[in-house]
Amino acid sequence: MVRGNVKNIKNTAVAFVTIALSIAVLSSCRVKLYERDVEARAREIHRRVLTVDTHCDTAFNLLRKDWSIGDRHDPALRASGKIDLPRMAEGGLDAEFFAVFVGQGPRTPEGNAIAREEALVGLEVIHKMGRDYPGLVGLAFSPEDAYRLKKEGRRAAFIGMENGYPVGRDLALLKTYYDRGVRYLTLCHSQDNDICDSSTDRDDPRDGGLSDFGRQVVLECNRLGILVDVSHASDGSFADVVKAARAPVIASHSCCRALCDNPRNLSDDMLRALAANGGVIQICFLSNYVRKPRPNPERDEAMKELESKYGNFREMKDEAIRAKARQKYEAVMEKYPQDKADVKDLVDHIDHVARVVGVDYVGIGTDFDGGGGVIGCDDVSGMFHVTEELIRRGYSEKDIAKIWSGNFMRVFRTAIEVSGRLSAK
Ligand SMILES: [Zn+2]
């Protein structure tokens, strides 16, 4: 009797273990199959849907003599940059806005003239890319150009201008830049300028919003069909722009302040104002805007030291000095690794916008080569992983299409329509 019981217990235990193991094996197979299915579905969606990234600073690399956008560069190496045309194809990204960035300098006629020259050089290197690689990429000036280029199997290169500094005090220059392909204008960068106040000007933290000249710039952009971009603008500037603009506005690379408290991000009230205006926020991949990093005082100290010695990385004119600064920067990064956000943190921002104002007001603006990159999507070849996460969270293909291009293109088309109406007057 007792022996029989022991035997029974043993048999039952063996049976339990066998069942548990089978369930574990089966569920791990199911997870693997599900993940393979998610990946296949993501790739399928990228084949069907136009994908647009509204901000990168890759134009800097176009100026380099040791780098060519037509070559594939190893993503593991920092000097490779985050974007080249072969990796765009790999990651399933169809269209990229290349920013012509000019750092803020003195607000004087001389300063403005230098900024204008720099902008023209930046514009030229983007046009040159189109001439150098006609089989891989085409310049795009309208939504239709991007759809056509996708059909042709080529990447689309749009142009945005980051910082209105090169406009100086001369409204007529906006037409010059428009004619050279500029389709959005980020009104300011990290410092206040003649157009508006910046969200991060440490020298002058007062928020004066949009200036009278800035109001004219916004209206001239609306008349020409240049999208007005409020990324980098202060809260006061944002409010003034939304009020003044005759067409919907964009935030080409910003995140949600409710999830990551940073002046560069938009509060929920700002999201509501943007949606009421018919605009769109393009979620930025810059880790510090996505998730607050854990405190790392040693790293902050080392970075501060570097900054006081070299200034803003992107504003370095001398290539040799920039290379040296980059080397030092890499050494600091290696010694004190950055606490980086990942794709899940990033998609939390998309979820947040969808929850607060709806899925019709959110898109993607990586800021690759300007500091953008998260774990799981650290260069353009990883773009599929964002779509995979959206699928896992239950977004339909219709919604994913809106996020990747539908919402932004709606704003772009409306801006073109408004421009037509205003110019006809
Ligand atoms: Zn920026």
Side-chain angles (χ1 to χ4, degrees):
M1 187 71 181
V2 173
R3 264 177 52 198
N5 264 351
V6 169
K7 208 175 169 190
N8 272 348
I9 289 166
K10 248 190 190 164
N11 282 346
T12 316
V14 168
F16 267 129
V17 170
T18 314
I19 290 167
L21 275 175
S22 310
I23 289 172
V25 169
L26 273 174
S27 62
S28 101
C29 279
R30 240 196 350 239
V31 168
K32 266 189 208 146
L33 272 177
Y34 173 72
E35 279 304 309
R36 219 176 296 159
D37 185 43
V38 166
E39 193 190 325
R41 279 172 62 199
R43 289 190 182 265
E44 196 49 48
I45 290 173
H46 279 249
R47 259 192 292 278
R48 278 196 289 262
V49 164
L50 180 79
T51 50
V52 184
D53 169 17
T54 54
H55 192 83
C56 78
D57 284 303
T58 307
F60 272 107
N61 285 336
L62 294 175
L63 289 163
R64 277 166 63 183
K65 289 180 185 70
D66 62 340
W67 189 92
S68 153
I69 197 156
D71 296 343
R72 187 190 188 280
H73 304 81
D74 180 357
L77 306 173
R78 199 179 290 274
S80 297
K82 308 276 188 188
I83 292 180
D84 54 48
L85 297 171
R87 276 185 288 161
M88 266 181 84
E90 255 173 63
L93 183 69
D94 300 313
E96 179 65 63
F97 268 84
F98 289 84
V100 172
F101 167 77
V102 179
Q104 189 60 45
R107 289 155 66 173
T108 59
E110 299 74 31
N112 292 341
I114 293 169
R116 187 179 62 222
E117 288 314 307
E118 273 182 39
L120 292 174
V121 169
L123 281 162
E124 173 50 25
V125 291
I126 298 167
H127 281 272
K128 184 173 181 297
M129 165 179 68
R131 292 195 301 272
D132 287 349
Y133 301 100
L136 298 178
V137 66
L139 268 287
F141 308 104
S142 68
E144 288 62 39
D145 284 343
Y147 291 103
R148 171 182 51 81
L149 284 159
K150 181 175 174 79
K151 266 199 205 129
E152 293 170 5
R154 297 194 287 154
R155 307 296 117 197
F158 284 104
I159 304 175
M161 180 175 278
E162 186 176 30
N163 198 358
Y165 182 38
V167 177
R169 304 283 308 178
D170 186 359
L171 279 183
L173 279 173
L174 283 167
K175 174 79 163 76
T176 307
Y177 299 142
Y178 176 86
D179 289 342
R180 287 293 276 156
V182 171
R183 289 298 177 269
Y184 76 65
L185 178 72
T186 314
L187 297 178
C188 65
H189 189 242
S190 51
Q191 284 168 274
D192 302 347
N193 64 16
D194 284 347
I195 297 171
C196 70
D197 276 9
S198 162
S199 58
T200 51
D201 196 324
R202 276 176 273 180
D203 299 331
D204 184 9
R206 285 172 306 169
D207 188 353
L210 191 67
S211 69
D212 288 339
F213 175 68
R215 207 158 281 122
Q216 293 174 47
V217 167
V218 168
L219 293 177
E220 181 62 2
C221 283
N222 289 162
R223 196 185 68 79
L224 290 167
I226 296 177
L227 290 159
V228 175
D229 178 14
V230 293
S231 282
H232 286 287
S234 68
D235 289 13
S237 303
F238 171 90
D240 291 346
V241 169
V242 168
K243 221 181 285 164
R246 310 279 288 272
V249 303
I250 63 164
S252 71
H253 58 304
S254 292
C255 291
C256 303
R257 209 175 286 175
L259 302 189
C260 180
D261 189 11
N262 186 304
R264 271 284 282 108
N265 291 341
L266 270 54
S267 70
D268 286 358
D269 281 345
M270 289 159 91
L271 291 179
R272 287 185 198 102
L274 190 73
N277 158 282
V280 66
I281 175 172
Q282 304 285 101
I283 299 299
C284 183
F285 287 34
L286 203 143
S287 185
N288 285 0
Y289 304 161
V290 176
R291 187 164 59 82
K292 274 241 175 241
R294 274 184 287 272
N296 190 340
E298 291 99 339
R299 184 171 182 276
D300 293 347
E301 199 50 49
M303 281 295 181
K304 220 164 48 194
E305 216 171 281
L306 213 61
E307 210 184 287
S308 66
K309 192 163 173 194
Y310 291 101
N312 189 329
F313 200 80
R314 293 202 301 170
E315 287 165 20
M316 286 168 203
K317 309 270 182 266
D318 189 303
E319 209 168 310
I321 294 176
R322 198 187 299 150
K324 192 158 184 205
R326 183 182 284 137
Q327 240 176 29
K328 296 247 164 132
Y329 172 80
E330 278 169 26
V332 171
M333 292 292 270
E334 209 161 291
K335 198 168 173 193
Y336 311 106
Q338 197 187 6
D339 172 30
K340 246 187 172 180
D342 62 19
V343 169
K344 284 194 172 82
D345 298 317
L346 179 88
V347 175
D348 285 348
H349 286 259
I350 296 176
D351 272 349
H352 185 78
V353 180
R355 226 177 6 252
V356 175
V357 289
V359 76
D360 292 332
Y361 305 100
V362 62
I364 306 280
T366 62
D367 207 3
F368 279 147
D369 292 320
V374 294
I375 295 168
C377 188
D378 201 24
D379 80 312
V380 72
S381 67
M383 289 302 229
F384 285 116
H385 301 313
V386 176
T387 306
E388 287 167 3
E389 185 59 20
L390 290 168
I391 293 171
R392 279 188 214 106
R393 295 194 188 193
Y395 283 83
S396 65
E397 177 168 341
K398 204 172 144 207
D399 286 346
I400 292 172
K402 285 181 181 181
I403 294 164
W404 269 117
S405 62
N407 296 334
F408 176 77
M409 289 308 189
R410 175 198 75 227
V411 176
F412 200 170
R413 284 203 185 94
T414 310
I416 293 170
E417 280 164 29
V418 170
S419 154
R421 275 206 305 274
L422 294 175
S423 304
K425 274 183 193 165

